[in-house]
Amino acid sequence: MFFLMECLHNEGVAEARDRLRPVHRDWVKSGGEGLASVLIGSAVWADDGGAIGHWGILEAETPEAARAFAGGDPFAVEGVVREIKVTRLADTFMADRVSPRMTL
């Protein structure tokens, strides 16, 4: 199954986000130690260019695994993220159009 993950960040967390970015990227590369595979994702910016969140397209066996991936991200664990939304995508989602994946 494929999911859209949307994560909004708390205000005033730029320093923590910068500090945690390497372990966040490792989490993405590992798919949360196998919970999910990340096809693609990116930071989300406000109009002024400041980061306000991030999103990703995930493949996971279950909605619970997708949510566990999102909640286990160091950004979420360390309080950078204030809100997580995980939404299942249509069964007709064309994942093969996204290549290469971010998860190794």
Side-chain angles (χ1 to χ4, degrees):
M1 287 181 260
F2 294 96
F3 301 88
L4 170 63
M5 176 192 71
E6 299 169 278
C7 299
L8 295 178
H9 294 180
N10 287 300
E11 291 186 24
V13 295
E15 185 177 304
R17 187 175 39 244
D18 289 346
R19 177 176 47 81
L20 293 166
R21 188 170 291 113
V23 290
H24 161 75
R25 288 182 175 162
D26 288 344
W27 182 257
V28 170
K29 285 179 189 174
S30 76
E33 300 173 356
L35 288 168
S37 178
V38 181
L39 280 68
I40 192 166
S42 182
V44 177
W45 286 7
D47 291 340
D48 67 4
I52 59 170
H54 65 281
W55 65 273
I57 302 292
L58 313 177
E59 182 176 23
E61 291 292 321
T62 65
E64 294 79 18
R67 286 188 203 93
F69 170 82
D73 183 329
F75 280 173
V77 172
E78 296 294 326
V80 170
V81 173
R82 71 171 165 84
E83 181 181 343
I84 298 171
K85 184 176 178 184
V86 176
T87 307
R88 185 172 173 184
L89 298 177
D91 291 339
T92 56
F93 177 71
M94 296 182 182
D96 60 325
R97 292 185 176 187
V98 183
S99 180
R101 290 179 181 227
M102 294 176 79
T103 297
L104 302 178

